[in-house]
Every structure is written in C-alpha cells, then in structure tokens.
Amino acid sequence: MTPETFITTVFFTVQTGQHVLDIGAGQGIFARRFVDRGAHVVAVDPRGFELNEHLLTARRLTIQKFIINDSAHYDLIFARNVLQFLEKHWVFATLFPWITDHLATNGVMAIETFFAEPKPPFSKPLISTYELAELRTAWLQWPELLAGQYEYHGPDMQGALRHFSTTDFVIQLP
C-alpha cells in the first residue's frame, strides 16, 4: 500500500453532486480535486484560506470550532494528515461521533494519519498516533473499503528522505 492507493480509493468514491468535507484542507489541493470531480466541497483548516466559489467553500477555522455550528450531511468526510495534530481523546469522544451523525447514507469516511519525527517544516510535535486496530475498534459496524498500516521512506516537503509510519482507513456507512 502507498499514499497513492489511499488517494485513488477515495477519489473513486466521489461522484458529481456529492457533498465533501475536507478536514485539514491546507491550501485546498485535494478540495479542488474533489471539485474537479463535480462535488460540492467544504474545506476547513485553521491555517488555510477563505473562499466561497460555486462548488467550493473554504473556512479558516479549527475543526473543533467548525463542528459546533455545522449541521450538514456529507457523502465523504476526508481527513488526510490531520488527526495526528489533534488530542486523541477529543477525536474519539467528539469528532468520531460527530462524523457518525453527519455522514449521509452510504457516506464514506477517509482517514490517513502519519507519524514522523518532527522537524521543519513540521516542527510542531505530533500529538497523537493512531493504530489501525484502534480505528477498527471505533468503527466495528462499518464495512472497510481500505485499511492498512505501513512504513515507508520518502521525501518530505523539503525533499529530504525521511521515515514515515502511516495508517490509512476508509469506511462506508451502510
């Protein structure tokens, strides 16, 4: 399994007219790719961008603040490389139940987390690590579309080779 396997699996679930929430969207690279597939996208990131276009709404908010006021339902909730920066207790006690309540019938939740020793440009320590087994325990009743935990060596944003531990988890609400 590779990061590309995760992205490919997720993108094939998105169809025209569906609603997508991109948690930790950054500058909107994946949000824009979902829009290119015809989805209506809400992108949330505290260091991201503000935008309100035809199919894309971007909010500069933490996910903690966003979920307080959001009542929408989504066909896909996408969280790539963001959960490791959140307190694990809050993720399991608050975020995951919120996702359960806000996924549409047949909706997909896609999580990818990583662990690597912090160094620039990611100098903030990673708060949480997520093992596949604990994610499976939280979502036992939902069928998996993709699940895996793997390690790889690859370039970071500066091009330096680093060791990453990654967990991918994609499930679908029945």
Side-chain angles (χ1 to χ4, degrees):
M1 187 178 321
T2 67
E4 292 78 23
T5 306
F6 172 77
I7 297 301
T8 301
T9 300
V10 172
F11 277 105
F12 280 122
T13 70
V14 177
Q15 299 174 10
T16 299
Q18 289 188 325
H19 295 269
V20 174
L21 174 61
D22 185 351
I23 300 171
Q27 295 303 309
I29 293 169
F30 292 105
R32 292 178 194 284
R33 290 177 66 186
F34 293 131
V35 166
D36 290 344
R37 292 191 58 85
H40 301 270
V41 179
V42 175
V44 178
D45 193 298
R47 292 177 289 162
F49 59 107
E50 290 278 339
L51 183 68
N52 194 357
E53 293 180 346
H54 174 61
L55 293 175
L56 176 60
T57 301
R59 305 287 311 277
R60 188 177 299 148
L61 287 172
T62 64
I63 189 60
Q64 292 92 331
K65 289 181 181 175
F66 175 79
I67 67 173
I68 290 170
N69 296 311
D70 186 63
S71 61
H73 284 81
Y74 300 95
D75 299 292
L76 169 64
I77 296 178
F78 179 76
R80 183 172 190 253
N81 296 337
V82 66
L83 295 187
Q84 63 269 17
F85 298 108
L86 302 172
E87 293 289 343
K88 187 182 281 190
H89 176 76
W90 181 85
V91 168
F92 280 89
T94 304
L95 182 60
F96 285 174
W98 182 89
I99 288 172
T100 301
D101 292 341
H102 288 81
L103 263 182
T105 301
N106 295 315
V108 172
M109 179 192 70
I111 295 172
E112 183 174 71
T113 70
F114 75 92
F115 178 80
E117 290 300 319
K119 66 183 204 182
F122 299 110
S123 55
K124 179 181 177 184
L126 303 179
I127 294 173
S128 303
T129 59
Y130 294 84
E131 298 293 327
L132 185 57
E134 65 188 334
L135 292 174
R136 281 183 165 145
T137 299
W139 303 97
L140 277 175
Q141 73 278 17
W142 294 17
E144 293 178 8
L145 300 179
L146 174 77
Q149 197 159 348
Y150 59 97
E151 300 196 15
Y152 71 98
H153 287 65
D156 62 17
M157 293 179 70
Q158 306 297 316
L161 288 179
R162 293 183 66 191
H163 177 80
F164 294 90
S165 297
T166 302
T167 302
D168 290 340
F169 194 62
V170 182
I171 56 174
Q172 185 169 23
L173 181 70

